Amino acid sequence: MGRSPIAVRIWGDYACFTRPETKVERLSYDVITPSAARGILEAIYWKPQVRWVVERIHVYKPPRFTNLRRNEVASKASAANAKKAMNGTLKEPLALYVDEVRQQRAATILRDVEYIIEARFDLLDHSDPIAKHYNMFKRRAEKGQCFHRPYLGNREFPCDFEWVEGPIPESELAGERDLGLMLHDMVFTPVDKPKDADTVSGHTGEPLTARARFFDAQMRQGVIEVPPLAMADVGGHA
Amino acid sequence: MIPRIDFVYLFDVKNGNPNGDPDAGNLPRVDPETGHGLVTDVCLKRKVRNFVDLVKNGDSDAEAEGFRIYVREKAILNDQHSLAYKALDIDAKKRKSKGKDKAEEDRNLTKWMCQNFFDIRTFGAVMTTDVNCGQVRGPIQFAIAESVEPIVAQEHAVTRCAVTTEREAEKQEGGNRTMGRKFTVPYGLYRVHGFINPYLAAKTGFGEQDLNLFWKALEQMFESDRSSSRGEMSPQSLICFEHTDSLGNAPASKLFGRVRIERKESLEGLPARSFDDYKVLVDESELPEGITIDRKF
């Protein structure tokens, strides 16, 4: 088994990699998803010219859960009301009253997690050599630098990270564990008509559809092999 | 541009309940494995919002310019004044724009919300525009606060000398006394880590003035949040690690590790009952290049 060019150790007190089917009262997956791992790598370094590919996830602590119930709001900020307020035609003050739109939501979250993410990036635009991106990432990871603080699923669960040089330490988790069907990542594909779009690219403003891809996650001796995200369309993510 | 800052904020509670757990009948939140008390990130953000709303929107409209609070509590509402927003040069009646213009309009809308609302600029918000570009990520990120030592929640039975309904009174044959419960933590010192991100700050327009207001909120927000359940909550220390490089000059974990909280030797083994029972040690030796420590209080 070869080693990916990039390996980063991440750890934190809490994590919540929400299962899409249990997103109202959040229930975390047993381990980090490739999608969340990509988010962490992107928090450290990302450019539109590259796409992160997570190849392997090493799990160093057995999944342990805890519960956290919080008062949350049920609705989003209203764009229509904001527009009216801008125009001065809104009767009442523009605000969201939390006691009126309150939901109590429980979250079953992971605690005390530690992973090593093995990854590489693919070039989407060959104007720069891959070594440049690699070195920029490496420098940042070694110095603890990041574009924004990486987090474990939700922003209230920030994580620490460090560059891993040399061989990947072995996990003490023995045996095999079937983690079931797990979210791999979202695939974003450009569309022509804005009305068909699920989202827009944060960089180009291009309308995109978003489709979830899943994979059969097996953990062997604490290692999860992440299959390539079979991509019909290499449009890349936004 | 504001600098990257990682901060450690310490606050304590005396005979109060800093954050009730809705899952446990409003008992103070406790980590079931360690016994350490918890205060959620959203609880602290709520207090920051309430503080800013109070100081900025209490008196005059002029002062409130750009410091409105979007996610509000009715209880502290003071909105007799009419709205006077500084509108952008967009005709809101021409709502039927499509495609690129629509996206542009949505961006303007988001920008306008950031300009007018302190909490959106600071903590972010999700807006219901058609496509998902009305999402604002704020520059300030809180982790969950945890007490330095395990806490013990005390249950108090309290009585009241009145009843709510006639029927209750009849049942008691005029005794008119009911019992209630309340929970307190005799003492708890909590520590929370926070992060301020210059890139996201630039995106939302979070500036120097906002940052100063945020620090002021951390220093004073408990003063305006007194209630029977909270007891005495006080800010105790705010230690900021400022980076010269916007990407950061050192890993946050290494910086946070420089702040240690210990019990005073003479009090070892006794339950802590005040902040004086602790000492806060900040290791300022051999700081990484580009890092300065600023102890705000």
Side-chain angles (χ1 to χ4, degrees), chain A residues 182-214:
Chain A
M182 204 162 108
L183 178 73
H184 189 308
D185 210 331
M186 301 297 290
V187 176
F188 296 96
T189 318
V191 286
D192 297 335
K193 293 182 196 150
K195 73 173 172 58
D196 300 332
D198 299 313
T199 185
V200 291
S201 160
H203 291 269
T204 58
E206 179 181 34
L208 304 165
T209 56
R211 296 282 176 268
R213 286 270 161 81
F214 293 84

PDB file of all heavy atoms in Angstrom, chain A residues 182-214:
ATOM      1  N   MET A 182     -21.797   5.327   3.366  1.00  0.00           N
ATOM      2  CA  MET A 182     -21.405   6.615   3.917  1.00  0.00           C
ATOM      3  C   MET A 182     -21.289   7.657   2.805  1.00  0.00           C
ATOM      4  O   MET A 182     -20.922   7.315   1.683  1.00  0.00           O
ATOM      5  CB  MET A 182     -20.050   6.425   4.599  1.00  0.00           C
ATOM      6  CG  MET A 182     -19.747   7.413   5.666  1.00  0.00           C
ATOM      7  SD  MET A 182     -18.415   6.789   6.716  1.00  0.00           S
ATOM      8  CE  MET A 182     -17.120   7.859   6.211  1.00  0.00           C
ATOM      9  N   LEU A 183     -21.575   8.890   3.148  1.00  0.00           N
ATOM     10  CA  LEU A 183     -21.433   9.956   2.154  1.00  0.00           C
ATOM     11  C   LEU A 183     -19.981  10.047   1.712  1.00  0.00           C
ATOM     12  O   LEU A 183     -19.078  10.121   2.536  1.00  0.00           O
ATOM     13  CB  LEU A 183     -21.865  11.302   2.726  1.00  0.00           C
ATOM     14  CG  LEU A 183     -21.702  12.488   1.770  1.00  0.00           C
ATOM     15  CD1 LEU A 183     -22.747  12.465   0.667  1.00  0.00           C
ATOM     16  CD2 LEU A 183     -21.753  13.814   2.503  1.00  0.00           C
ATOM     17  N   HIS A 184     -19.783  10.038   0.413  1.00  0.00           N
ATOM     18  CA  HIS A 184     -18.441  10.238  -0.107  1.00  0.00           C
ATOM     19  C   HIS A 184     -18.223  11.740  -0.282  1.00  0.00           C
ATOM     20  O   HIS A 184     -17.400  12.340   0.389  1.00  0.00           O
ATOM     21  CB  HIS A 184     -18.289   9.503  -1.443  1.00  0.00           C
ATOM     22  CG  HIS A 184     -16.882   9.461  -1.955  1.00  0.00           C
ATOM     23  ND1 HIS A 184     -16.122  10.586  -2.087  1.00  0.00           N
ATOM     24  CD2 HIS A 184     -16.103   8.424  -2.355  1.00  0.00           C
ATOM     25  CE1 HIS A 184     -14.919  10.247  -2.544  1.00  0.00           C
ATOM     26  NE2 HIS A 184     -14.887   8.937  -2.706  1.00  0.00           N
ATOM     27  N   ASP A 185     -19.015  12.310  -1.160  1.00  0.00           N
ATOM     28  CA  ASP A 185     -18.917  13.753  -1.368  1.00  0.00           C
ATOM     29  C   ASP A 185     -20.083  14.208  -2.228  1.00  0.00           C
ATOM     30  O   ASP A 185     -20.832  13.396  -2.746  1.00  0.00           O
ATOM     31  CB  ASP A 185     -17.594  14.117  -2.060  1.00  0.00           C
ATOM     32  CG  ASP A 185     -17.123  15.509  -1.648  1.00  0.00           C
ATOM     33  OD1 ASP A 185     -17.981  16.352  -1.327  1.00  0.00           O
ATOM     34  OD2 ASP A 185     -15.913  15.741  -1.644  1.00  0.00           O
ATOM     35  N   MET A 186     -20.189  15.502  -2.378  1.00  0.00           N
ATOM     36  CA  MET A 186     -21.179  16.054  -3.281  1.00  0.00           C
ATOM     37  C   MET A 186     -20.492  16.262  -4.625  1.00  0.00           C
ATOM     38  O   MET A 186     -19.335  16.679  -4.685  1.00  0.00           O
ATOM     39  CB  MET A 186     -21.682  17.406  -2.772  1.00  0.00           C
ATOM     40  CG  MET A 186     -22.303  17.371  -1.399  1.00  0.00           C
ATOM     41  SD  MET A 186     -23.769  16.356  -1.301  1.00  0.00           S
ATOM     42  CE  MET A 186     -24.913  17.338  -2.265  1.00  0.00           C
ATOM     43  N   VAL A 187     -21.238  15.982  -5.678  1.00  0.00           N
ATOM     44  CA  VAL A 187     -20.708  16.242  -7.017  1.00  0.00           C
ATOM     45  C   VAL A 187     -21.460  17.433  -7.592  1.00  0.00           C
ATOM     46  O   VAL A 187     -22.686  17.430  -7.666  1.00  0.00           O
ATOM     47  CB  VAL A 187     -20.876  15.006  -7.937  1.00  0.00           C
ATOM     48  CG1 VAL A 187     -20.413  15.330  -9.347  1.00  0.00           C
ATOM     49  CG2 VAL A 187     -20.100  13.840  -7.373  1.00  0.00           C
ATOM     50  N   PHE A 188     -20.720  18.450  -7.948  1.00  0.00           N
ATOM     51  CA  PHE A 188     -21.329  19.665  -8.478  1.00  0.00           C
ATOM     52  C   PHE A 188     -21.127  19.716  -9.990  1.00  0.00           C
ATOM     53  O   PHE A 188     -20.009  19.577 -10.477  1.00  0.00           O
ATOM     54  CB  PHE A 188     -20.704  20.904  -7.835  1.00  0.00           C
ATOM     55  CG  PHE A 188     -20.967  20.983  -6.360  1.00  0.00           C
ATOM     56  CD1 PHE A 188     -20.028  20.518  -5.442  1.00  0.00           C
ATOM     57  CD2 PHE A 188     -22.162  21.501  -5.886  1.00  0.00           C
ATOM     58  CE1 PHE A 188     -20.273  20.589  -4.073  1.00  0.00           C
ATOM     59  CE2 PHE A 188     -22.410  21.565  -4.521  1.00  0.00           C
ATOM     60  CZ  PHE A 188     -21.468  21.110  -3.620  1.00  0.00           C
ATOM     61  N   THR A 189     -22.217  19.873 -10.693  1.00  0.00           N
ATOM     62  CA  THR A 189     -22.145  19.890 -12.146  1.00  0.00           C
ATOM     63  C   THR A 189     -22.788  21.168 -12.679  1.00  0.00           C
ATOM     64  O   THR A 189     -23.889  21.515 -12.252  1.00  0.00           O
ATOM     65  CB  THR A 189     -22.920  18.679 -12.718  1.00  0.00           C
ATOM     66  OG1 THR A 189     -22.608  17.538 -11.919  1.00  0.00           O
ATOM     67  CG2 THR A 189     -22.549  18.403 -14.145  1.00  0.00           C
ATOM     68  N   PRO A 190     -22.109  21.840 -13.595  1.00  0.00           N
ATOM     69  CA  PRO A 190     -22.694  23.071 -14.151  1.00  0.00           C
ATOM     70  C   PRO A 190     -23.972  22.780 -14.939  1.00  0.00           C
ATOM     71  O   PRO A 190     -24.073  21.739 -15.592  1.00  0.00           O
ATOM     72  CB  PRO A 190     -21.602  23.599 -15.089  1.00  0.00           C
ATOM     73  CG  PRO A 190     -20.361  22.877 -14.726  1.00  0.00           C
ATOM     74  CD  PRO A 190     -20.773  21.564 -14.150  1.00  0.00           C
ATOM     75  N   VAL A 191     -24.926  23.664 -14.839  1.00  0.00           N
ATOM     76  CA  VAL A 191     -26.146  23.545 -15.643  1.00  0.00           C
ATOM     77  C   VAL A 191     -26.366  24.847 -16.397  1.00  0.00           C
ATOM     78  O   VAL A 191     -25.837  25.890 -16.011  1.00  0.00           O
ATOM     79  CB  VAL A 191     -27.398  23.241 -14.789  1.00  0.00           C
ATOM     80  CG1 VAL A 191     -27.404  21.815 -14.320  1.00  0.00           C
ATOM     81  CG2 VAL A 191     -27.508  24.196 -13.614  1.00  0.00           C
ATOM     82  N   ASP A 192     -27.180  24.760 -17.442  1.00  0.00           N
ATOM     83  CA  ASP A 192     -27.411  25.934 -18.266  1.00  0.00           C
ATOM     84  C   ASP A 192     -28.404  26.890 -17.624  1.00  0.00           C
ATOM     85  O   ASP A 192     -28.185  28.081 -17.534  1.00  0.00           O
ATOM     86  CB  ASP A 192     -27.922  25.527 -19.657  1.00  0.00           C
ATOM     87  CG  ASP A 192     -26.878  24.709 -20.402  1.00  0.00           C
ATOM     88  OD1 ASP A 192     -25.689  24.891 -20.069  1.00  0.00           O
ATOM     89  OD2 ASP A 192     -27.255  23.905 -21.272  1.00  0.00           O
ATOM     90  N   LYS A 193     -29.517  26.299 -17.160  1.00  0.00           N
ATOM     91  CA  LYS A 193     -30.583  27.165 -16.659  1.00  0.00           C
ATOM     92  C   LYS A 193     -30.452  27.363 -15.148  1.00  0.00           C
ATOM     93  O   LYS A 193     -30.398  26.385 -14.397  1.00  0.00           O
ATOM     94  CB  LYS A 193     -31.949  26.531 -16.961  1.00  0.00           C
ATOM     95  CG  LYS A 193     -32.261  26.485 -18.439  1.00  0.00           C
ATOM     96  CD  LYS A 193     -33.645  25.899 -18.631  1.00  0.00           C
ATOM     97  CE  LYS A 193     -33.839  25.460 -20.080  1.00  0.00           C
ATOM     98  NZ  LYS A 193     -34.755  24.337 -20.178  1.00  0.00           N
ATOM     99  N   PRO A 194     -30.442  28.587 -14.708  1.00  0.00           N
ATOM    100  CA  PRO A 194     -30.314  28.849 -13.271  1.00  0.00           C
ATOM    101  C   PRO A 194     -31.432  28.196 -12.457  1.00  0.00           C
ATOM    102  O   PRO A 194     -31.232  27.836 -11.310  1.00  0.00           O
ATOM    103  CB  PRO A 194     -30.389  30.376 -13.170  1.00  0.00           C
ATOM    104  CG  PRO A 194     -30.058  30.870 -14.525  1.00  0.00           C
ATOM    105  CD  PRO A 194     -30.483  29.815 -15.485  1.00  0.00           C
ATOM    106  N   LYS A 195     -32.609  28.032 -13.093  1.00  0.00           N
ATOM    107  CA  LYS A 195     -33.713  27.471 -12.309  1.00  0.00           C
ATOM    108  C   LYS A 195     -33.524  25.992 -11.992  1.00  0.00           C
ATOM    109  O   LYS A 195     -34.139  25.475 -11.084  1.00  0.00           O
ATOM    110  CB  LYS A 195     -35.060  27.743 -12.985  1.00  0.00           C
ATOM    111  CG  LYS A 195     -35.361  26.928 -14.220  1.00  0.00           C
ATOM    112  CD  LYS A 195     -36.802  27.223 -14.646  1.00  0.00           C
ATOM    113  CE  LYS A 195     -37.179  26.623 -15.987  1.00  0.00           C
ATOM    114  NZ  LYS A 195     -37.047  25.180 -16.132  1.00  0.00           N
ATOM    115  N   ASP A 196     -32.647  25.327 -12.737  1.00  0.00           N
ATOM    116  CA  ASP A 196     -32.360  23.921 -12.450  1.00  0.00           C
ATOM    117  C   ASP A 196     -31.265  23.767 -11.398  1.00  0.00           C
ATOM    118  O   ASP A 196     -30.963  22.669 -10.965  1.00  0.00           O
ATOM    119  CB  ASP A 196     -31.898  23.199 -13.724  1.00  0.00           C
ATOM    120  CG  ASP A 196     -32.966  23.241 -14.802  1.00  0.00           C
ATOM    121  OD1 ASP A 196     -34.157  23.308 -14.425  1.00  0.00           O
ATOM    122  OD2 ASP A 196     -32.614  23.232 -15.992  1.00  0.00           O
ATOM    123  N   ALA A 197     -30.670  24.889 -11.004  1.00  0.00           N
ATOM    124  CA  ALA A 197     -29.501  24.815 -10.131  1.00  0.00           C
ATOM    125  C   ALA A 197     -29.888  24.581  -8.681  1.00  0.00           C
ATOM    126  O   ALA A 197     -30.938  25.015  -8.214  1.00  0.00           O
ATOM    127  CB  ALA A 197     -28.701  26.101 -10.251  1.00  0.00           C
ATOM    128  N   ASP A 198     -29.033  23.851  -7.966  1.00  0.00           N
ATOM    129  CA  ASP A 198     -29.206  23.679  -6.531  1.00  0.00           C
ATOM    130  C   ASP A 198     -28.394  24.722  -5.777  1.00  0.00           C
ATOM    131  O   ASP A 198     -28.675  25.062  -4.646  1.00  0.00           O
ATOM    132  CB  ASP A 198     -28.717  22.287  -6.092  1.00  0.00           C
ATOM    133  CG  ASP A 198     -29.504  21.183  -6.768  1.00  0.00           C
ATOM    134  OD1 ASP A 198     -30.744  21.282  -6.774  1.00  0.00           O
ATOM    135  OD2 ASP A 198     -28.878  20.242  -7.286  1.00  0.00           O
ATOM    136  N   THR A 199     -27.351  25.183  -6.428  1.00  0.00           N
ATOM    137  CA  THR A 199     -26.467  26.143  -5.783  1.00  0.00           C
ATOM    138  C   THR A 199     -25.705  26.908  -6.862  1.00  0.00           C
ATOM    139  O   THR A 199     -25.881  26.632  -8.041  1.00  0.00           O
ATOM    140  CB  THR A 199     -25.500  25.394  -4.830  1.00  0.00           C
ATOM    141  OG1 THR A 199     -24.724  26.353  -4.118  1.00  0.00           O
ATOM    142  CG2 THR A 199     -24.560  24.462  -5.586  1.00  0.00           C
ATOM    143  N   VAL A 200     -24.914  27.867  -6.444  1.00  0.00           N
ATOM    144  CA  VAL A 200     -24.057  28.542  -7.414  1.00  0.00           C
ATOM    145  C   VAL A 200     -22.624  28.473  -6.920  1.00  0.00           C
ATOM    146  O   VAL A 200     -22.371  28.401  -5.734  1.00  0.00           O
ATOM    147  CB  VAL A 200     -24.447  30.032  -7.622  1.00  0.00           C
ATOM    148  CG1 VAL A 200     -25.767  30.167  -8.312  1.00  0.00           C
ATOM    149  CG2 VAL A 200     -24.427  30.780  -6.314  1.00  0.00           C
ATOM    150  N   SER A 201     -21.719  28.498  -7.864  1.00  0.00           N
ATOM    151  CA  SER A 201     -20.314  28.476  -7.492  1.00  0.00           C
ATOM    152  C   SER A 201     -19.964  29.764  -6.761  1.00  0.00           C
ATOM    153  O   SER A 201     -20.309  30.845  -7.204  1.00  0.00           O
ATOM    154  CB  SER A 201     -19.456  28.338  -8.750  1.00  0.00           C
ATOM    155  OG  SER A 201     -18.149  28.758  -8.461  1.00  0.00           O
ATOM    156  N   GLY A 202     -19.292  29.617  -5.632  1.00  0.00           N
ATOM    157  CA  GLY A 202     -18.898  30.783  -4.866  1.00  0.00           C
ATOM    158  C   GLY A 202     -17.855  31.612  -5.590  1.00  0.00           C
ATOM    159  O   GLY A 202     -17.620  32.762  -5.240  1.00  0.00           O
ATOM    160  N   HIS A 203     -17.215  31.044  -6.592  1.00  0.00           N
ATOM    161  CA  HIS A 203     -16.142  31.757  -7.269  1.00  0.00           C
ATOM    162  C   HIS A 203     -16.550  32.338  -8.606  1.00  0.00           C
ATOM    163  O   HIS A 203     -16.221  33.461  -8.944  1.00  0.00           O
ATOM    164  CB  HIS A 203     -14.933  30.838  -7.457  1.00  0.00           C
ATOM    165  CG  HIS A 203     -14.296  30.531  -6.148  1.00  0.00           C
ATOM    166  ND1 HIS A 203     -13.292  31.288  -5.626  1.00  0.00           N
ATOM    167  CD2 HIS A 203     -14.587  29.583  -5.238  1.00  0.00           C
ATOM    168  CE1 HIS A 203     -12.968  30.814  -4.442  1.00  0.00           C
ATOM    169  NE2 HIS A 203     -13.733  29.780  -4.192  1.00  0.00           N
ATOM    170  N   THR A 204     -17.276  31.541  -9.381  1.00  0.00           N
ATOM    171  CA  THR A 204     -17.609  32.009 -10.721  1.00  0.00           C
ATOM    172  C   THR A 204     -19.063  32.463 -10.834  1.00  0.00           C
ATOM    173  O   THR A 204     -19.440  33.081 -11.815  1.00  0.00           O
ATOM    174  CB  THR A 204     -17.363  30.886 -11.746  1.00  0.00           C
ATOM    175  OG1 THR A 204     -18.175  29.760 -11.358  1.00  0.00           O
ATOM    176  CG2 THR A 204     -15.911  30.471 -11.782  1.00  0.00           C
ATOM    177  N   GLY A 205     -19.882  32.136  -9.826  1.00  0.00           N
ATOM    178  CA  GLY A 205     -21.293  32.497  -9.894  1.00  0.00           C
ATOM    179  C   GLY A 205     -22.074  31.615 -10.837  1.00  0.00           C
ATOM    180  O   GLY A 205     -23.225  31.877 -11.160  1.00  0.00           O
ATOM    181  N   GLU A 206     -21.428  30.540 -11.278  1.00  0.00           N
ATOM    182  CA  GLU A 206     -22.022  29.628 -12.251  1.00  0.00           C
ATOM    183  C   GLU A 206     -23.065  28.730 -11.558  1.00  0.00           C
ATOM    184  O   GLU A 206     -22.812  28.232 -10.467  1.00  0.00           O
ATOM    185  CB  GLU A 206     -20.849  28.783 -12.766  1.00  0.00           C
ATOM    186  CG  GLU A 206     -21.141  27.733 -13.761  1.00  0.00           C
ATOM    187  CD  GLU A 206     -19.850  26.992 -14.122  1.00  0.00           C
ATOM    188  OE1 GLU A 206     -18.972  26.816 -13.247  1.00  0.00           O
ATOM    189  OE2 GLU A 206     -19.746  26.592 -15.267  1.00  0.00           O
ATOM    190  N   PRO A 207     -24.229  28.541 -12.177  1.00  0.00           N
ATOM    191  CA  PRO A 207     -25.223  27.661 -11.552  1.00  0.00           C
ATOM    192  C   PRO A 207     -24.787  26.189 -11.592  1.00  0.00           C
ATOM    193  O   PRO A 207     -24.238  25.736 -12.600  1.00  0.00           O
ATOM    194  CB  PRO A 207     -26.483  27.881 -12.389  1.00  0.00           C
ATOM    195  CG  PRO A 207     -26.028  28.476 -13.663  1.00  0.00           C
ATOM    196  CD  PRO A 207     -24.728  29.166 -13.407  1.00  0.00           C
ATOM    197  N   LEU A 208     -25.027  25.482 -10.509  1.00  0.00           N
ATOM    198  CA  LEU A 208     -24.575  24.095 -10.408  1.00  0.00           C
ATOM    199  C   LEU A 208     -25.665  23.220  -9.814  1.00  0.00           C
ATOM    200  O   LEU A 208     -26.467  23.685  -9.014  1.00  0.00           O
ATOM    201  CB  LEU A 208     -23.359  24.015  -9.464  1.00  0.00           C
ATOM    202  CG  LEU A 208     -22.132  24.870  -9.752  1.00  0.00           C
ATOM    203  CD1 LEU A 208     -21.236  24.903  -8.535  1.00  0.00           C
ATOM    204  CD2 LEU A 208     -21.378  24.312 -10.943  1.00  0.00           C
ATOM    205  N   THR A 209     -25.651  21.975 -10.203  1.00  0.00           N
ATOM    206  CA  THR A 209     -26.494  21.024  -9.485  1.00  0.00           C
ATOM    207  C   THR A 209     -25.597  20.301  -8.487  1.00  0.00           C
ATOM    208  O   THR A 209     -24.403  20.165  -8.699  1.00  0.00           O
ATOM    209  CB  THR A 209     -27.118  19.950 -10.404  1.00  0.00           C
ATOM    210  OG1 THR A 209     -26.049  19.301 -11.097  1.00  0.00           O
ATOM    211  CG2 THR A 209     -28.082  20.543 -11.387  1.00  0.00           C
ATOM    212  N   ALA A 210     -26.208  19.853  -7.414  1.00  0.00           N
ATOM    213  CA  ALA A 210     -25.438  19.145  -6.391  1.00  0.00           C
ATOM    214  C   ALA A 210     -26.034  17.766  -6.195  1.00  0.00           C
ATOM    215  O   ALA A 210     -27.232  17.623  -5.971  1.00  0.00           O
ATOM    216  CB  ALA A 210     -25.486  19.928  -5.088  1.00  0.00           C
ATOM    217  N   ARG A 211     -25.210  16.732  -6.358  1.00  0.00           N
ATOM    218  CA  ARG A 211     -25.684  15.359  -6.167  1.00  0.00           C
ATOM    219  C   ARG A 211     -24.779  14.665  -5.153  1.00  0.00           C
ATOM    220  O   ARG A 211     -23.557  14.777  -5.224  1.00  0.00           O
ATOM    221  CB  ARG A 211     -25.624  14.579  -7.486  1.00  0.00           C
ATOM    222  CG  ARG A 211     -26.544  15.123  -8.567  1.00  0.00           C
ATOM    223  CD  ARG A 211     -28.000  14.704  -8.350  1.00  0.00           C
ATOM    224  NE  ARG A 211     -28.869  15.322  -9.340  1.00  0.00           N
ATOM    225  CZ  ARG A 211     -29.493  16.489  -9.160  1.00  0.00           C
ATOM    226  NH1 ARG A 211     -29.343  17.169  -8.034  1.00  0.00           N
ATOM    227  NH2 ARG A 211     -30.265  16.986 -10.109  1.00  0.00           N
ATOM    228  N   ALA A 212     -25.414  13.937  -4.239  1.00  0.00           N
ATOM    229  CA  ALA A 212     -24.634  13.231  -3.231  1.00  0.00           C
ATOM    230  C   ALA A 212     -24.166  11.882  -3.773  1.00  0.00           C
ATOM    231  O   ALA A 212     -24.901  11.209  -4.493  1.00  0.00           O
ATOM    232  CB  ALA A 212     -25.482  13.024  -1.981  1.00  0.00           C
ATOM    233  N   ARG A 213     -22.938  11.520  -3.449  1.00  0.00           N
ATOM    234  CA  ARG A 213     -22.409  10.198  -3.815  1.00  0.00           C
ATOM    235  C   ARG A 213     -22.062   9.456  -2.537  1.00  0.00           C
ATOM    236  O   ARG A 213     -21.493  10.052  -1.616  1.00  0.00           O
ATOM    237  CB  ARG A 213     -21.129  10.347  -4.647  1.00  0.00           C
ATOM    238  CG  ARG A 213     -21.361  10.806  -6.051  1.00  0.00           C
ATOM    239  CD  ARG A 213     -21.555   9.604  -6.987  1.00  0.00           C
ATOM    240  NE  ARG A 213     -22.203  10.014  -8.221  1.00  0.00           N
ATOM    241  CZ  ARG A 213     -21.572  10.579  -9.234  1.00  0.00           C
ATOM    242  NH1 ARG A 213     -20.277  10.780  -9.168  1.00  0.00           N
ATOM    243  NH2 ARG A 213     -22.225  10.921 -10.323  1.00  0.00           N
ATOM    244  N   PHE A 214     -22.384   8.192  -2.514  1.00  0.00           N
ATOM    245  CA  PHE A 214     -22.121   7.390  -1.314  1.00  0.00           C
ATOM    246  C   PHE A 214     -21.138   6.270  -1.623  1.00  0.00           C
ATOM    247  O   PHE A 214     -20.953   5.903  -2.773  1.00  0.00           O
ATOM    248  CB  PHE A 214     -23.431   6.808  -0.778  1.00  0.00           C
ATOM    249  CG  PHE A 214     -24.351   7.866  -0.249  1.00  0.00           C
ATOM    250  CD1 PHE A 214     -25.193   8.569  -1.103  1.00  0.00           C
ATOM    251  CD2 PHE A 214     -24.365   8.179   1.101  1.00  0.00           C
ATOM    252  CE1 PHE A 214     -26.033   9.569  -0.618  1.00  0.00           C
ATOM    253  CE2 PHE A 214     -25.197   9.167   1.602  1.00  0.00           C
ATOM    254  CZ  PHE A 214     -26.033   9.866   0.729  1.00  0.00           C
TER     255      PHE A 214
END
